[in-house]
């Protein structure tokens, strides 16, 4: 996978050289290139922003440096296959331009998995007032553009979101995680533990500061251990992310799940989905 990041703070992306992502790059699974947007300015002051048309606070990133940077980087990326009948903007092998913005669609595990299938990702982090709109319009004709937000809060720029998204994508690439099984129980991964958060984990010693590891985990009864883990995942999800329980398709729950959920005050509606109790205080 080829990964380009165009930024006015190249040093902010230094963590991509470390840890899991850095190792994947060292092993040749990933070609990461960080570019300074100011390299594509032509004035003495390397100007990348200007005041917004229509007035208002803050500054807007000028389109010209982005245009020159993206032209060069898209031309230099891996070739798009196809018979010519499909455009790069629609091809599964064409580049994806990721524009981090608090006004984007929510970045999810599903989107991370889609991005992990693509050969070329180009990230365009901006300061939060954003990039002149015409840049997204222009490149939507030549790439698949994804405007993505990492959560409901406002950051000063898109660089931290790039670190987040790259890590989420790269750990899904074949050969990056040592143990293929490591994906299976991920909170938010598909499978029988989908829509459940992960529960608690323990390691040695068996007693630490007088606190014992739950006894069931010390025995070798795999069925009981799996049940214990699922119960705790369910408790944690009900507590921290009730929205995930409500969104779960009917048929997600087995008999012990339903018993535990009832104990926690949840019950399914006629379609088998959990919703706020009639007469409850929610919504
Ligand atoms: Cl992607 N960018 C900025 N600036 N703030 C954010 C964000 C992105 N996602 C959440 N907040």
């Amino acid at each position: 996978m080829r990964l380009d990041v165009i930024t006015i703070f190249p040093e902010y992306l230094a963590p991509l050289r470390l840890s899991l992502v850095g190792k994947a790059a060292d092993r040749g699974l990933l070609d990461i290139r960080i570019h300074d947007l100011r390299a594509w300015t032509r004035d003495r002051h390397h100007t990348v922003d200007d005041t917004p048309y229509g007035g208002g606070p803050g500054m807007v990133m000028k389109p010209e440096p982005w245009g020159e940077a993206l032209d060069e980087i898209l031309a230099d990326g891996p070739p798009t296959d196809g018979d010519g009948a499909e455009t790069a903007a629609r091809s599964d092998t064409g580049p994806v331009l990721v524009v981090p913005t608090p006004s984007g669609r929510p970045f999810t595990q599903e989107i991370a998995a889609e991005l992990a299938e693509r050969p070329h990702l180009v990230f365009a982090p901006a300061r939060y007032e954003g990039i002149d709109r015409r840049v997204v319009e222009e490149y939507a004709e030549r790439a698949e553009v994804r405007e993505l937000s990492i959560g409901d809060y406002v950051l000063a720029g898109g660089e931290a979101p790039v670190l987040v998204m790259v890590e989420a994508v790269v750990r899904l690439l074949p050969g990056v995680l040592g143990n293929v099984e490591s994906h299976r129980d991920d909170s938010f991964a598909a499978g029988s533990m989908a829509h459940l958060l992960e529960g608690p984990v323990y390691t040695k010693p068996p007693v630490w500061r007088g606190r014992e590891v739950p006894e069931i985990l010390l025995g070798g009864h795999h069925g009981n251990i799996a049940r214990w883990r699922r119960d705790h995942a369910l408790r944690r999800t009900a507590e921290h992310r009730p929205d995930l329980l409500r969104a779960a398709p009917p048929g997600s729950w087995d008999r012990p799940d339903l018993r535990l959920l009832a104990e926690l005050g949840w019950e399914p509606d006629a379609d088998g989905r959990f919703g706020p109790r009639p007469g409850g205080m929610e919504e």
Side-chain angles (χ1 to χ4, degrees):
M1 169 180 278
R2 165 81 178 267
L3 250 166
D4 290 274
V5 185
I6 308 165
T7 170
I8 58 168
F9 296 119
E11 319 85 76
Y12 206 123
L13 285 301
L16 296 181
R17 307 280 169 223
L18 303 175
S19 188
L20 175 117
V21 176
K23 276 180 198 134
D26 293 344
R27 290 168 55 211
L29 297 169
L30 203 61
D31 175 4
I32 306 183
R33 304 187 194 185
I34 312 297
H35 311 271
D36 187 341
L37 178 67
R38 294 191 201 274
W40 286 278
T41 55
R42 292 166 181 272
D43 64 311
R44 282 197 305 132
H45 297 106
H46 302 290
T47 309
V48 293
D49 59 359
D50 205 338
T51 53
Y53 275 124
M59 300 290 272
V60 173
M61 296 193 98
K62 294 166 65 60
E64 303 96 320
W66 284 106
E68 300 212 18
L70 289 167
D71 286 349
E72 186 174 324
I73 289 164
L74 291 172
D76 177 51
T80 300
D81 347 308
D83 55 10
E86 57 186 358
T87 62
R90 285 182 294 113
S91 160
D92 287 347
T93 59
V96 179
L97 176 60
V98 178
V99 182
T101 164
S103 51
R105 295 211 167 102
F107 177 70
T108 60
Q109 187 65 27
E110 185 182 3
I111 292 175
E114 289 167 10
L115 296 179
E117 298 288 323
R118 305 295 291 261
H120 190 198
L121 306 181
V122 180
F123 290 87
R127 53 177 302 156
Y128 88 82
E129 295 82 356
I131 303 172
D132 186 298
R133 187 67 204 166
R134 293 168 292 182
V135 174
V136 161
E137 289 170 11
E138 170 82 4
Y139 289 93
E141 294 176 2
R142 289 151 60 180
E144 181 177 327
V145 177
R146 301 252 194 155
E147 294 182 274
L148 299 172
S149 163
I150 63 163
D152 293 341
Y153 40 79
V154 179
L155 301 171
E159 284 77 10
V162 170
L163 295 176
V164 167
M165 293 189 258
V166 169
E167 188 161 311
V169 170
V170 169
R171 66 186 284 286
L172 297 177
L173 297 177
V176 169
L177 285 192
N179 179 359
V180 196
E181 294 287 291
S182 311
H183 296 306
R184 207 190 41 200
D185 289 348
D186 286 355
S187 292
F188 305 111
S192 73
M193 294 290 274
H195 47 252
L196 291 185
L197 301 179
E198 285 181 69
V201 296
Y202 300 86
T203 185
K204 289 169 278 296
V207 183
W208 177 73
R209 298 192 180 178
R211 297 167 189 276
E212 296 182 0
V213 171
E215 195 173 340
I216 201 160
L217 299 178
L218 303 177
H221 195 303
H222 299 300
N224 290 350
I225 291 171
R227 187 68 246 169
W228 184 92
R229 287 190 170 143
R230 189 166 171 92
D231 288 350
H232 282 78
L234 208 45
R235 286 179 184 278
R236 192 170 182 87
T237 309
E239 179 81 12
H240 292 177
R241 293 294 304 277
D243 57 306
L244 295 179
L245 291 188
R246 280 187 213 105
S252 302
W253 316 117
D254 62 17
R255 206 174 284 279
D257 290 341
L258 292 168
R259 237 183 70 107
L260 174 56
L261 286 165
E263 213 176 283
L264 298 174
W266 289 74
E267 56 192 24
D269 62 19
D271 324 319
R273 271 185 201 267
F274 287 90
R277 275 243 179 91
M281 296 293 287
E282 292 175 281
E283 262 117 38

